[in-house]
Amino acid sequence: MGKIAEQFTQLKELLIEYFDSNVEYYKLAGFEKLMRFVVAITFAAVFFILLMLALFLFGFSAAIWLGDLLGNEAAGYLGIGFFYLFLLLLVYLLKKPLIERPLIRFFHRFLFKKENKNNESS
């Protein structure tokens, strides 16, 4: 009877150790995914801000250039404004293939890439 109790005690200790190591593994894996996500979002935000700044300056330059061509500065700004509205409408109509699907693919590869490599090598 004492041998069975000792084996149950050992089993209990092994199970506790196993669950503790699993909790630690999932904490580290979660932290890694969170940090990769934060880095990706930060990079995207910086990229987006710089892109918007460039588009803002190019828009002003194009409006002035178009205004010089048309002989009326207001017409140049109006033309560029309509161009941006057209682009906005185009992006809205094509949001699924241009934005939604690529983002889903990116985050799927981003979040599940490492697990797939580990599962394939096992």
Side-chain angles (χ1 to χ4, degrees):
M1 192 65 136
K3 191 174 187 181
I4 294 175
E6 184 180 311
Q7 288 177 344
F8 275 120
T9 304
Q10 287 177 344
L11 179 62
K12 178 183 168 188
E13 290 171 3
L14 287 173
L15 285 174
I16 289 171
E17 186 178 321
Y18 172 75
F19 286 121
D20 286 345
S21 64
N22 271 349
V23 167
E24 287 300 315
Y25 169 75
Y26 287 115
K27 279 183 186 178
L28 288 173
F31 179 74
E32 177 193 7
K33 288 186 188 305
L34 177 66
M35 286 299 103
R36 290 177 65 197
F37 180 73
V38 167
V39 167
I41 293 296
T42 303
F43 174 75
V46 168
F47 182 81
F48 179 75
I49 289 169
L50 291 175
L51 179 66
M52 289 300 105
L53 183 61
L55 286 176
F56 182 73
L57 294 174
F58 282 135
F60 270 116
S61 300
I64 292 170
W65 175 76
L66 188 60
D68 287 344
L69 282 179
L70 297 175
N72 185 352
E73 192 172 332
Y77 284 105
L78 192 61
I80 297 301
F82 280 122
F83 174 73
Y84 280 137
L85 283 176
F86 173 73
L87 284 180
L88 178 67
L89 178 67
L90 196 63
V91 167
Y92 178 75
L93 293 175
L94 299 173
K95 67 182 170 191
K96 197 166 208 147
L98 287 179
I99 297 169
E100 195 173 301
R101 288 182 188 144
L103 276 176
I104 290 171
R105 270 190 242 116
F106 169 75
F107 282 112
H108 180 266
R109 277 184 284 155
F110 180 76
L111 292 174
F112 297 108
K113 187 166 109 178
K114 191 168 187 174
E115 285 86 6
N116 290 340
K117 285 183 180 179
N118 288 340
N119 290 339
E120 290 172 3
S121 64
S122 299

